[in-house]
Short mmCIF file of all heavy atoms in Angstrom, two decimals:
data_model
loop_
_atom_site.label_atom_id
_atom_site.label_comp_id
_atom_site.label_asym_id
_atom_site.label_seq_id
_atom_site.Cartn_x
_atom_site.Cartn_y
_atom_site.Cartn_z
N ASN K 18 0.85 -1.19 0.00
CA ASN K 18 0.00 0.00 0.00
C ASN K 18 0.88 1.24 0.00
O ASN K 18 1.54 1.52 0.99
CB ASN K 18 -0.91 -0.02 1.23
CG ASN K 18 -1.96 1.07 1.19
OD1 ASN K 18 -1.74 2.15 0.65
ND2 ASN K 18 -3.12 0.79 1.77
N VAL K 19 0.91 1.95 -1.10
CA VAL K 19 1.78 3.12 -1.22
C VAL K 19 1.11 4.36 -0.66
O VAL K 19 1.77 5.30 -0.22
CB VAL K 19 2.17 3.36 -2.69
CG1 VAL K 19 3.19 4.48 -2.81
CG2 VAL K 19 2.75 2.09 -3.29
N ALA K 20 -0.21 4.38 -0.64
CA ALA K 20 -0.95 5.57 -0.22
C ALA K 20 -0.87 5.81 1.29
O ALA K 20 -1.04 6.94 1.76
CB ALA K 20 -2.41 5.46 -0.65
N SER K 21 -0.62 4.75 2.06
CA SER K 21 -0.62 4.87 3.52
C SER K 21 0.78 4.66 4.08
O SER K 21 1.54 3.83 3.58
CB SER K 21 -1.57 3.82 4.12
OG SER K 21 -1.50 3.83 5.52
N LYS K 22 1.11 5.42 5.13
CA LYS K 22 2.42 5.27 5.77
C LYS K 22 2.50 4.01 6.63
O LYS K 22 3.58 3.52 6.94
CB LYS K 22 2.74 6.50 6.61
CG LYS K 22 3.04 7.75 5.79
CD LYS K 22 3.48 8.90 6.66
CE LYS K 22 3.83 10.13 5.83
NZ LYS K 22 4.99 9.90 4.96
N TYR K 23 1.32 3.49 7.05
CA TYR K 23 1.31 2.25 7.84
C TYR K 23 0.05 1.47 7.51
O TYR K 23 -1.07 1.95 7.73
CB TYR K 23 1.35 2.55 9.33
CG TYR K 23 1.37 1.29 10.19
CD1 TYR K 23 2.32 0.30 9.95
CD2 TYR K 23 0.46 1.09 11.22
CE1 TYR K 23 2.36 -0.86 10.72
CE2 TYR K 23 0.50 -0.06 11.99
CZ TYR K 23 1.45 -1.03 11.74
OH TYR K 23 1.49 -2.18 12.50
N SER K 24 0.22 0.29 6.94
CA SER K 24 -0.93 -0.51 6.54
C SER K 24 -0.50 -1.95 6.31
O SER K 24 0.68 -2.27 6.23
CB SER K 24 -1.55 0.05 5.26
OG SER K 24 -0.64 -0.08 4.18
N MET K 25 -1.49 -2.83 6.18
CA MET K 25 -1.22 -4.22 5.83
C MET K 25 -0.97 -4.34 4.33
O MET K 25 -1.21 -3.38 3.57
CB MET K 25 -2.39 -5.11 6.25
CG MET K 25 -3.67 -4.88 5.47
SD MET K 25 -5.02 -5.98 5.97
CE MET K 25 -5.39 -5.33 7.60
N LEU K 26 -0.48 -5.48 3.91
CA LEU K 26 -0.35 -5.74 2.48
C LEU K 26 -1.71 -5.62 1.80
O LEU K 26 -2.75 -5.88 2.40
CB LEU K 26 0.18 -7.15 2.23
CG LEU K 26 1.67 -7.44 2.46
CD1 LEU K 26 1.95 -8.90 2.13
CD2 LEU K 26 2.55 -6.54 1.63
N ASN K 27 -1.69 -5.23 0.54
CA ASN K 27 -2.94 -5.19 -0.25
C ASN K 27 -3.32 -6.57 -0.78
O ASN K 27 -4.49 -6.89 -0.93
CB ASN K 27 -2.80 -4.24 -1.43
CG ASN K 27 -2.93 -2.79 -1.02
OD1 ASN K 27 -3.37 -2.49 0.09
ND2 ASN K 27 -2.54 -1.89 -1.91
N ARG K 28 -2.28 -7.38 -1.07
CA ARG K 28 -2.53 -8.69 -1.70
C ARG K 28 -1.30 -9.56 -1.50
O ARG K 28 -0.18 -9.06 -1.47
CB ARG K 28 -2.79 -8.50 -3.20
CG ARG K 28 -2.96 -9.80 -4.00
CD ARG K 28 -3.13 -9.48 -5.50
NE ARG K 28 -1.94 -8.87 -6.06
CZ ARG K 28 -0.94 -9.57 -6.63
NH1 ARG K 28 -0.99 -10.88 -6.69
NH2 ARG K 28 0.11 -8.93 -7.14
N LEU K 29 -1.52 -10.88 -1.36
CA LEU K 29 -0.42 -11.83 -1.29
C LEU K 29 -0.88 -13.16 -1.88
O LEU K 29 -1.74 -13.83 -1.30
CB LEU K 29 0.04 -12.03 0.16
CG LEU K 29 1.11 -13.11 0.40
CD1 LEU K 29 2.37 -12.82 -0.40
CD2 LEU K 29 1.42 -13.22 1.89
N ASP K 30 -0.33 -13.51 -3.02
CA ASP K 30 -0.64 -14.79 -3.67
C ASP K 30 0.57 -15.71 -3.57
O ASP K 30 1.32 -15.88 -4.53
CB ASP K 30 -1.01 -14.57 -5.15
CG ASP K 30 -2.27 -13.73 -5.30
OD1 ASP K 30 -3.15 -13.83 -4.42
OD2 ASP K 30 -2.38 -12.99 -6.28
N PHE K 31 0.76 -16.28 -2.38
CA PHE K 31 1.91 -17.14 -2.14
C PHE K 31 1.54 -18.18 -1.09
O PHE K 31 1.27 -17.84 0.08
CB PHE K 31 3.11 -16.32 -1.68
CG PHE K 31 4.37 -17.12 -1.49
CD1 PHE K 31 5.09 -17.57 -2.59
CD2 PHE K 31 4.82 -17.45 -0.22
CE1 PHE K 31 6.25 -18.31 -2.42
CE2 PHE K 31 5.98 -18.19 -0.04
CZ PHE K 31 6.68 -18.63 -1.15
N GLN K 32 1.52 -19.43 -1.48
CA GLN K 32 1.28 -20.55 -0.58
C GLN K 32 0.05 -20.35 0.31
O GLN K 32 0.04 -20.74 1.48
CB GLN K 32 2.52 -20.81 0.27
CG GLN K 32 3.74 -21.23 -0.54
CD GLN K 32 4.94 -21.56 0.32
OE1 GLN K 32 4.95 -21.35 1.53
NE2 GLN K 32 5.99 -22.07 -0.31
N GLU K 33 -0.98 -19.72 -0.24
CA GLU K 33 -2.25 -19.52 0.46
C GLU K 33 -2.09 -18.77 1.79
O GLU K 33 -2.89 -18.93 2.72
CB GLU K 33 -2.96 -20.86 0.69
CG GLU K 33 -3.28 -21.59 -0.61
CD GLU K 33 -4.04 -22.87 -0.36
OE1 GLU K 33 -4.26 -23.24 0.81
OE2 GLU K 33 -4.44 -23.50 -1.36
N GLU K 34 -1.07 -17.94 1.89
CA GLU K 34 -0.88 -17.15 3.10
C GLU K 34 -1.87 -16.00 3.15
O GLU K 34 -2.30 -15.49 2.12
CB GLU K 34 0.56 -16.61 3.17
CG GLU K 34 1.61 -17.66 3.42
CD GLU K 34 2.96 -17.05 3.74
OE1 GLU K 34 3.00 -15.94 4.27
OE2 GLU K 34 3.97 -17.70 3.46
N ASP K 35 -2.18 -15.55 4.36
CA ASP K 35 -3.12 -14.45 4.56
C ASP K 35 -2.36 -13.12 4.55
O ASP K 35 -1.51 -12.87 5.40
CB ASP K 35 -3.83 -14.64 5.90
CG ASP K 35 -4.96 -13.62 6.11
OD1 ASP K 35 -5.12 -12.73 5.26
OD2 ASP K 35 -5.65 -13.73 7.13
N TYR K 36 -2.67 -12.29 3.56
CA TYR K 36 -1.97 -11.00 3.45
C TYR K 36 -2.26 -10.10 4.65
O TYR K 36 -1.47 -9.20 4.97
CB TYR K 36 -2.39 -10.29 2.15
CG TYR K 36 -3.82 -9.78 2.14
CD1 TYR K 36 -4.13 -8.48 2.55
CD2 TYR K 36 -4.87 -10.58 1.71
CE1 TYR K 36 -5.43 -8.02 2.54
CE2 TYR K 36 -6.17 -10.13 1.69
CZ TYR K 36 -6.45 -8.85 2.11
OH TYR K 36 -7.74 -8.38 2.10
N ARG K 37 -3.36 -10.35 5.35
CA ARG K 37 -3.74 -9.48 6.47
C ARG K 37 -2.85 -9.68 7.69
O ARG K 37 -2.97 -8.94 8.67
CB ARG K 37 -5.20 -9.74 6.84
CG ARG K 37 -6.17 -9.28 5.76
CD ARG K 37 -7.58 -9.77 6.00
NE ARG K 37 -7.64 -11.23 5.93
CZ ARG K 37 -8.78 -11.93 6.00
NH1 ARG K 37 -9.93 -11.29 6.15
NH2 ARG K 37 -8.76 -13.25 5.91
N SER K 38 -1.95 -10.66 7.63
CA SER K 38 -1.01 -10.88 8.75
C SER K 38 0.17 -9.91 8.70
O SER K 38 0.87 -9.75 9.71
CB SER K 38 -0.47 -12.31 8.71
OG SER K 38 -1.50 -13.25 8.82
N TRP K 39 0.40 -9.29 7.54
CA TRP K 39 1.63 -8.53 7.35
C TRP K 39 1.35 -7.03 7.34
O TRP K 39 0.52 -6.55 6.59
CB TRP K 39 2.31 -8.94 6.04
CG TRP K 39 2.72 -10.37 6.05
CD1 TRP K 39 2.04 -11.43 5.54
CD2 TRP K 39 3.92 -10.89 6.63
NE1 TRP K 39 2.74 -12.60 5.75
CE2 TRP K 39 3.89 -12.30 6.42
CE3 TRP K 39 5.00 -10.34 7.30
CZ2 TRP K 39 4.91 -13.13 6.86
CZ3 TRP K 39 6.02 -11.17 7.73
CH2 TRP K 39 5.97 -12.55 7.51
N TRP K 40 2.11 -6.31 8.16
CA TRP K 40 1.96 -4.86 8.31
C TRP K 40 3.28 -4.16 7.97
O TRP K 40 4.34 -4.61 8.41
CB TRP K 40 1.53 -4.51 9.73
CG TRP K 40 0.12 -4.93 10.02
CD1 TRP K 40 -0.31 -6.19 10.35
CD2 TRP K 40 -1.03 -4.10 9.98
NE1 TRP K 40 -1.67 -6.18 10.52
CE2 TRP K 40 -2.15 -4.92 10.30
CE3 TRP K 40 -1.26 -2.74 9.72
CZ2 TRP K 40 -3.45 -4.43 10.37
CZ3 TRP K 40 -2.54 -2.25 9.79
CH2 TRP K 40 -3.62 -3.09 10.11
N ILE K 41 3.19 -3.07 7.22
CA ILE K 41 4.39 -2.36 6.77
C ILE K 41 4.28 -0.88 7.10
O ILE K 41 3.23 -0.26 6.86
CB ILE K 41 4.60 -2.53 5.25
CG1 ILE K 41 4.61 -4.01 4.87
CG2 ILE K 41 5.92 -1.87 4.82
CD1 ILE K 41 4.70 -4.26 3.38
N LYS K 42 5.37 -0.32 7.61
CA LYS K 42 5.40 1.10 7.96
C LYS K 42 6.58 1.80 7.29
O LYS K 42 7.69 1.27 7.29
CB LYS K 42 5.52 1.28 9.48
CG LYS K 42 5.61 2.74 9.93
CD LYS K 42 5.67 2.86 11.44
CE LYS K 42 5.89 4.30 11.88
NZ LYS K 42 4.83 5.21 11.38
N GLU K 43 6.31 2.98 6.73
CA GLU K 43 7.39 3.82 6.22
C GLU K 43 8.19 4.39 7.39
O GLU K 43 7.63 4.73 8.43
CB GLU K 43 6.82 4.97 5.39
CG GLU K 43 6.18 4.56 4.09
CD GLU K 43 5.61 5.75 3.33
OE1 GLU K 43 6.03 6.91 3.62
OE2 GLU K 43 4.73 5.54 2.48
N LEU K 44 9.50 4.50 7.21
CA LEU K 44 10.38 5.07 8.22
C LEU K 44 11.06 6.32 7.69
O LEU K 44 11.34 6.43 6.49
CB LEU K 44 11.45 4.05 8.64
CG LEU K 44 10.96 2.73 9.22
CD1 LEU K 44 12.15 1.80 9.45
CD2 LEU K 44 10.19 2.94 10.50
N ASP K 45 11.35 7.25 8.57
CA ASP K 45 12.09 8.45 8.20
C ASP K 45 13.58 8.15 8.36
O ASP K 45 14.09 8.05 9.48
CB ASP K 45 11.68 9.62 9.09
CG ASP K 45 12.41 10.92 8.73
OD1 ASP K 45 13.15 10.93 7.71
OD2 ASP K 45 12.23 11.91 9.46
N ALA K 46 14.28 8.03 7.23
CA ALA K 46 15.71 7.71 7.27
C ALA K 46 16.57 8.93 6.91
O ALA K 46 17.77 8.80 6.76
CB ALA K 46 16.02 6.56 6.31
N GLY K 47 15.94 10.08 6.77
CA GLY K 47 16.69 11.28 6.44
C GLY K 47 16.64 11.62 4.96
O GLY K 47 16.21 10.82 4.13
N LYS K 48 17.09 12.81 4.63
CA LYS K 48 17.05 13.30 3.25
C LYS K 48 17.85 12.40 2.32
O LYS K 48 18.99 12.03 2.61
CB LYS K 48 17.60 14.72 3.19
CG LYS K 48 17.48 15.37 1.82
CD LYS K 48 17.98 16.80 1.84
CE LYS K 48 17.84 17.45 0.47
NZ LYS K 48 18.33 18.85 0.46
N GLY K 49 17.23 12.05 1.20
CA GLY K 49 17.90 11.23 0.20
C GLY K 49 17.76 9.75 0.41
O GLY K 49 18.29 8.96 -0.37
N TYR K 50 17.05 9.34 1.47
CA TYR K 50 16.88 7.92 1.78
C TYR K 50 15.40 7.58 1.93
O TYR K 50 14.58 8.44 2.25
CB TYR K 50 17.59 7.56 3.09
CG TYR K 50 19.09 7.57 3.00
CD1 TYR K 50 19.80 8.76 3.15
CD2 TYR K 50 19.81 6.41 2.77
CE1 TYR K 50 21.19 8.79 3.08
CE2 TYR K 50 21.20 6.43 2.69
CZ TYR K 50 21.88 7.62 2.85
OH TYR K 50 23.26 7.64 2.77
N GLN K 51 15.09 6.33 1.70
CA GLN K 51 13.75 5.80 1.95
C GLN K 51 13.93 4.51 2.75
O GLN K 51 14.87 3.75 2.51
CB GLN K 51 13.03 5.51 0.64
CG GLN K 51 11.56 5.21 0.80
CD GLN K 51 10.76 6.43 1.24
OE1 GLN K 51 10.15 6.42 2.30
NE2 GLN K 51 10.76 7.46 0.45
N ALA K 52 13.01 4.25 3.69
CA ALA K 52 13.13 3.06 4.51
C ALA K 52 11.74 2.57 4.92
O ALA K 52 10.77 3.32 4.93
CB ALA K 52 13.98 3.32 5.75
N ALA K 53 11.66 1.27 5.28
CA ALA K 53 10.41 0.67 5.72
C ALA K 53 10.70 -0.50 6.63
O ALA K 53 11.76 -1.13 6.54
CB ALA K 53 9.57 0.23 4.52
N VAL K 54 9.73 -0.81 7.50
CA VAL K 54 9.82 -1.97 8.37
C VAL K 54 8.54 -2.79 8.23
O VAL K 54 7.46 -2.23 8.03
CB VAL K 54 10.03 -1.56 9.86
CG1 VAL K 54 8.88 -0.72 10.37
CG2 VAL K 54 10.26 -2.78 10.73
N CYS K 55 8.67 -4.11 8.29
CA CYS K 55 7.53 -5.01 8.13
C CYS K 55 7.50 -6.01 9.29
O CYS K 55 8.55 -6.53 9.69
CB CYS K 55 7.62 -5.74 6.79
SG CYS K 55 6.30 -6.95 6.53
#
């Protein structure tokens, strides 16, 4: 999900896993950098 700074996956088609288990947050890594944690 690019629109939100913190959200679950939008979709996951892998071994019947539930995409709603995974949450991702954008992190502030400073100017010139991009970061995220899951």
Side-chain angles (χ1 to χ4, degrees):
N18 188 329
V19 186
S21 174
K22 290 186 178 296
Y23 181 53
S24 65
M25 68 179 70
L26 284 181
N27 282 346
R28 176 184 65 91
L29 175 58
D30 297 328
F31 184 74
Q32 297 183 352
E33 300 183 356
E34 290 191 28
D35 187 355
Y36 69 92
R37 292 169 295 186
S38 300
W39 297 96
W40 290 80
I41 306 175
K42 178 178 174 58
E43 292 178 20
L44 300 175
D45 181 6
K48 185 177 181 180
Y50 290 84
Q51 191 68 242
V54 61
C55 177

